């Protein structure tokens, strides 16, 4: 017997189907609501609205659970690599050793960027934000790869090309922005080590690849790899729903991620921690501002639309701060400030009542600082990590028979009909 929800409006009763997910999450199917009742639902920001069925990532915001294709993110952070996790997200299962080797070779084969693209990088003002450069360059890839493949094999090449070239382009934009020689990808290096080498190697000071730093970057990117229907993924799915190409969709995702309420928060957190540090290290004035409704200031890196408990990724990221800093025998005063801020906030009734906990962005910047990534590239690092998630979500949407063009409705509250008045009669 199919479960239904009963809705009674204006004396009419409507039976709406109830859907249930694998983990017991439930939804009321309102696809026929407007046709049958004339009513739409109202849900700014889609906070209570499911736009798709997905088998990629499961989150439980109350219990702080995050799984990619059913595997807990903690297990992947402990045992996997970013390339293996990317394969898992895109293909729905862990690769065999042969498949992983083949995928790694494909990523290496597509790691170079067309030499003509260098002129694009060189044409940006030196101070241009790397996220603006990255979104433009990803969209420009379409001009160099105009074919839109239909065959599975060719589609996989397109995905590998994106995964590999986005990493190369990020490093290129960094080098060019500093007026330094571009470092090309090396066939003998793994995905993460290659990125670090392209970022930091130079003829006068060869970059020494530290396995602890590589592992920190692997875990950072694994933790960012997907997060179900977040804002940037919704942007990617929207472009996919109008049959836009994957390059345009990822470019839209990068632009959405850039916002400081979303991926841009990791840069904003470090800027906030630096402000606290420069003002003497006392977090209380910032906590009070965050609670003051008349002040637009928000505690960056705190709060989440889904998690109403500690973000499981933040727990791992916090541990990784201590690990990487001790391995590099370094201290970061901003980490001490972050821990103090968290301690005070989590005891404060406002944060407790609002279920505000550290999210993935709160500690991630400390790890990136330890690796040597410049602050204005923090969100680019998030974008590279999220890319396999965007690709898998785009692909799932393309194959979803129930996916429809994204076109939300509205409640009109403007003027009722009125007519044109010639300018001399307007008073
Ligand atoms: C990411 O969706 C994802 O999965 C995103 C992400 C991913 O992996 O893709 O997890 C990555 O984007 C993490 C979030 C990074 N952003 C920040 O850290 C920015 C600071 N946080 C917020 O602005 C806020 O918490 C959001 C944007 C993350 C979530 O906001 P919501 O769900 O729209 O909630 P809201 O703004 O309506 O806030 C609810 C209440 C409000 O108070 P009331 O008016 O109800 O009294 O909580 C308060 C807010 O004022 N609040 C905060 C706060 N976050 C929420 N108050 C102070 N500081 C904060 N950070």
């Amino acid at each position: 017997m199919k479960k239904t929800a009963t809705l009674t409006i204006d004396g009419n009763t409507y039976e709406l189907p109830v859907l249930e997910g694998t983990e017991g999450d439930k939804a009321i199917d309102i696809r026929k609501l407007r046709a049958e009742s004339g009513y739409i639902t109202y849900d700014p920001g889609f906070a209570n609205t499911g736009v798709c069925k997905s088998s990629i990532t499961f989150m439980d915001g109350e219990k702080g659970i995050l799984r990619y294709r059913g595997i807990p993110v903690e297990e992947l952070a402990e045992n996997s690599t970013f390339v293996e996790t990317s394969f898992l997200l895109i293909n729905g299962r862990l690769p065999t050793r042969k498949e992983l080797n083949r995928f790694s070779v494909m990523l290496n084969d597509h790691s170079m960027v067309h030499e003509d693209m260098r002129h694009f990088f060189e044409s940006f003002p030196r101070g241009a934000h790397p996220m603006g450069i990255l979104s433009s360059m990803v969209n420009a890839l379409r001009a160099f790869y105009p074919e839109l493949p239909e065959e599975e094999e060719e589609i996989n090449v397109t995905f590998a090309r994106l995964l590999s070239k986005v990493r190369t382009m990020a490093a290129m934009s960094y080098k060019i922005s500093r007026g330094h020689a571009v470092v090309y990808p090396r066939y003998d290096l793994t995905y993460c080590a290659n990125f670090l080498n392209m970022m930091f190697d130079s003829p006068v000071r060869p970059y020494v690849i530290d396995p602890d730093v590589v592992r920190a970057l692997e875990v950072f990117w694994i933790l960012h790899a997907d997060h179900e229907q977040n804002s940037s993924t919704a942007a990617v799915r929207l472009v996919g729903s109008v049959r836009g190409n994957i390059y345009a969709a990822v470019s839209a995702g990068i632009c959405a991620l850039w916002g400081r309420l979303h991926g841009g928060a990791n840069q904003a957190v470090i800027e906030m921690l630096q402000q606290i540090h420069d003002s003497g290290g006392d977090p209380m004035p910032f906590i009070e501002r965050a609670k003051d409704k008349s002040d637009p200031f928000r505690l960056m890196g705190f709060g989440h639309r889904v998690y109403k408990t500690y973000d499981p990724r933040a727990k791992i990221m916090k541990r990784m701060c201590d690990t990487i800093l001790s391995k590099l025998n370094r201290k970061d005063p901003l980490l001490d400030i972050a821990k103090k801020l968290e301690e005070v906030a989590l005891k404060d009734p406002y944060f407790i009542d609002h279920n505000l906990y550290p999210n993935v962005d709160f500690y991630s910047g400390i790890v990136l600082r330890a690796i040597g990534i410049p602050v204005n590239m923090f969100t680019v690092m998030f974008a590279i990590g999220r890319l396999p998630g965007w690709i898998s979500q785009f692909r799932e949407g393309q194959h979803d028979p129930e996916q429809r063009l994204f076109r939300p409705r509205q409640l009109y509250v403007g003027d009722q009909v009125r007519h044109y008045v010639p300018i001399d009669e307007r008073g």
Side-chain angles (χ1 to χ4, degrees):
M1 175 64 173
K2 283 241 184 253
K3 206 170 162 188
T4 61
T6 304
L7 193 58
T8 301
I9 306 176
D10 308 333
N12 300 316
T13 300
Y14 305 93
E15 295 297 324
L16 300 169
V18 169
L19 308 173
E20 188 155 346
T22 321
E23 291 291 338
D25 38 338
K26 296 178 182 56
I28 298 172
D29 184 343
I30 58 167
R31 282 177 286 185
K32 295 202 176 352
L33 180 66
R34 189 173 186 280
E36 291 177 1
S37 71
Y39 281 75
I40 64 168
T41 56
Y42 179 63
D43 186 23
F46 310 131
N48 304 285
T49 297
V51 291
C52 64
K53 294 172 183 170
S54 178
S55 57
I56 297 169
T57 292
F58 173 71
M59 289 168 67
D60 182 320
E62 280 65 39
K63 295 178 188 156
I65 291 173
L66 174 59
R67 300 184 198 131
Y68 298 158
R69 300 288 188 179
I71 300 177
V73 73
E74 294 82 357
E75 291 180 28
L76 293 165
E78 185 66 32
N79 304 296
S80 187
T81 64
F82 178 60
V83 168
E84 184 181 65
T85 297
S86 299
F87 186 102
L88 168 70
L89 284 166
I90 294 170
N91 298 288
R93 58 179 171 77
L94 289 168
T96 61
R97 185 176 299 282
K98 190 169 165 233
E99 287 171 327
L100 185 58
N101 290 341
R102 191 163 168 280
F103 188 46
S104 300
V105 167
M106 202 191 272
L107 289 171
N108 261 320
D109 287 348
H110 294 279
S111 54
M112 296 289 281
V113 172
H114 196 294
E115 284 295 318
D116 289 356
M117 292 195 92
R118 288 182 63 153
H119 306 310
F120 296 8
F121 286 106
E122 286 152 0
S123 308
F124 281 100
R126 281 282 184 264
H129 196 288
M131 282 296 275
I133 296 173
L134 190 65
S135 61
S136 312
M137 299 308 286
V138 167
N139 214 12
L141 278 175
R142 176 79 167 78
F144 289 85
Y145 305 99
E147 69 288 341
L148 284 181
E150 296 295 331
E151 297 305 314
E152 195 67 16
E153 179 57 23
E154 270 311 300
I155 290 174
N156 287 329
V157 168
T158 301
F159 293 159
R161 176 185 294 138
L162 257 173
L163 280 168
S164 199
K165 286 181 178 8
V166 167
R167 170 206 49 182
T168 305
M169 291 196 294
M172 274 178 83
S173 75
Y174 172 65
K175 284 293 198 190
I176 291 172
S177 73
R178 299 181 60 138
H180 292 180
V182 167
V183 174
Y184 285 98
R186 280 175 32 188
Y187 204 83
D188 60 322
L189 294 179
T190 62
Y191 187 96
C192 292
N194 234 327
F195 173 76
L196 292 168
N197 193 61
M198 288 189 275
M199 282 286 288
F200 303 122
D201 191 40
S202 90
V204 292
R205 181 180 297 187
Y207 178 67
V208 177
I209 292 169
D210 178 334
D212 293 323
V213 174
V214 174
R215 187 63 206 157
L217 182 55
E218 291 274 11
V219 174
F220 177 92
W221 274 339
I222 287 169
L223 294 177
H224 285 81
D226 192 55
H227 216 231
E228 57 131 280
Q229 304 311 313
N230 59 86
S231 307
S232 51
T233 295
V236 169
R237 276 187 174 260
L238 185 148
V239 175
S241 79
V242 298
R243 293 288 176 263
N245 66 75
I246 182 80
Y247 302 106
V250 167
S251 178
I254 294 168
C255 292
L257 187 72
W258 194 358
R260 57 189 278 111
L261 292 188
H262 190 13
N266 60 13
Q267 177 175 343
V269 167
I270 289 296
E271 289 162 353
M272 175 185 74
L273 294 176
Q274 192 63 53
Q275 259 190 309
I276 296 172
H277 175 270
D278 297 346
S279 60
D282 177 8
M284 279 322 288
F286 292 80
I287 297 250
E288 292 312 315
R289 281 188 61 196
K291 293 156 61 176
D292 178 357
K293 290 300 165 204
S294 63
D295 188 332
F297 175 79
R298 286 268 176 103
L299 209 56
M300 301 316 280
F302 258 74
H304 199 275
R305 173 62 61 78
V306 175
Y307 291 125
K308 300 309 167 193
T309 183
Y310 216 104
D311 182 332
R313 302 167 298 175
K315 281 184 190 166
I316 300 170
M317 206 69 88
K318 182 177 178 182
R319 282 200 301 273
M320 209 159 64
C321 292
D322 292 322
T323 307
I324 187 68
L325 286 171
S326 67
K327 293 219 172 177
L328 296 175
N329 197 18
R330 267 197 234 151
K331 283 211 153 305
D332 187 342
L334 299 192
L335 176 58
D336 302 330
I337 288 177
K339 287 180 175 178
K340 195 169 151 191
L341 181 57
E342 174 192 339
E343 187 193 340
V344 173
L346 294 191
K347 288 179 189 153
D348 185 296
Y350 173 88
F351 290 86
I352 295 167
D353 296 347
H354 284 84
N355 296 311
L356 301 176
Y357 293 84
N359 59 51
V360 68
D361 294 312
F362 190 64
Y363 287 105
S364 61
I366 306 288
V367 174
L368 294 176
R369 272 160 59 99
I371 293 175
I373 305 293
V375 177
N376 71 348
M377 275 193 70
F378 282 9
T379 313
V380 166
M381 298 300 285
F382 192 145
I384 297 170
R386 186 51 52 87
L387 193 48
W390 286 335
I391 288 171
S392 58
Q393 299 272 352
F394 176 90
R395 180 187 211 172
E396 186 177 66
Q398 300 295 71
H399 293 168
D400 179 357
E402 295 188 1
Q403 165 151 291
R404 300 184 65 197
L405 176 137
F406 275 42
R407 203 279 184 213
R409 293 282 185 156
Q410 63 166 23
L411 198 64
Y412 178 70
V413 293
D415 290 297
Q416 293 190 320
V417 66
R418 53 186 180 148
H419 300 288
Y420 184 81
V421 177
I423 192 159
D424 297 331
E425 298 170 26
R426 290 178 201 158

